[in-house]
Amino acid sequence: MTDPTEGAGGVPGLSAATEEGGGLTLEAVPHPSGPVALHVVGDVDLATAPFLAEQVGDWLAASPRVVLDLSGVGVFASAGISVLLDCQHAAVAAGVVLELYCGAARQVRRVLQVTGTCEHLRVLDPHPPPETPDGRAPLFPVPD
């Protein structure tokens, strides 16, 4: 990973960084005030979960707030749940706020809801949006 402390004056967040591992792409978009958004694209499974854990862990050590944007995730396997819970424990221990954003990734939200993982994580959008981008309501909304 690009060192999250790189940037003007060693301040995290003054430049974006993109890392790839096993078909998973993670783009860090830091804000100069400290928070960082990590946009994940690809499948989170047994092969890519360690890469995700490493990348999120590096940013937890360098930022007071991390928003993990999972809207670009296709497959979200049980290994992803484990990584998210481990990252949440690490964030709490480090005094860092870790938040998740599911966006249009219905499959991610569904896995988090069905497994009860939402109750242990800070999910910014626990409910699906009321309409799709084309203005229609979703056919099968995810239950609360």
Side-chain angles (χ1 to χ4, degrees):
M1 175 181 148
T2 303
D3 183 1
T5 60
E6 289 178 358
V11 177
L14 296 184
S15 62
T18 302
E19 297 294 327
E20 293 186 32
L24 189 69
T25 302
L26 190 117
E27 179 183 9
V29 183
H31 189 275
S33 67
V36 64
L38 300 175
H39 182 66
V40 182
V41 177
D43 296 340
V44 178
D45 55 22
L46 190 58
T48 61
F51 170 75
L52 179 62
E54 176 187 348
Q55 297 298 306
V56 173
D58 287 348
W59 281 101
L60 289 176
S63 179
R65 178 177 173 225
V66 175
V67 177
L68 191 57
D69 177 356
L70 301 172
S71 63
V73 171
V75 173
F76 191 73
S78 60
I81 295 170
S82 179
V83 166
L84 293 181
L85 291 173
D86 288 347
C87 288
Q88 176 63 24
H89 291 301
V92 169
V96 175
V97 175
L98 176 64
E99 298 171 310
L100 304 178
Y101 173 74
C102 298
R106 181 181 187 278
Q107 63 284 0
V108 174
R109 184 182 292 107
R110 178 90 172 144
V111 167
L112 295 177
Q113 287 178 333
V114 168
T115 61
T117 309
C118 275
E119 298 174 17
H120 304 282
L121 301 170
R122 193 177 223 172
V123 181
L124 296 174
D125 58 341
H127 305 286
E131 296 183 82
T132 59
D134 62 2
R136 295 183 297 166
L139 290 175
F140 302 104
V142 177
D144 291 337

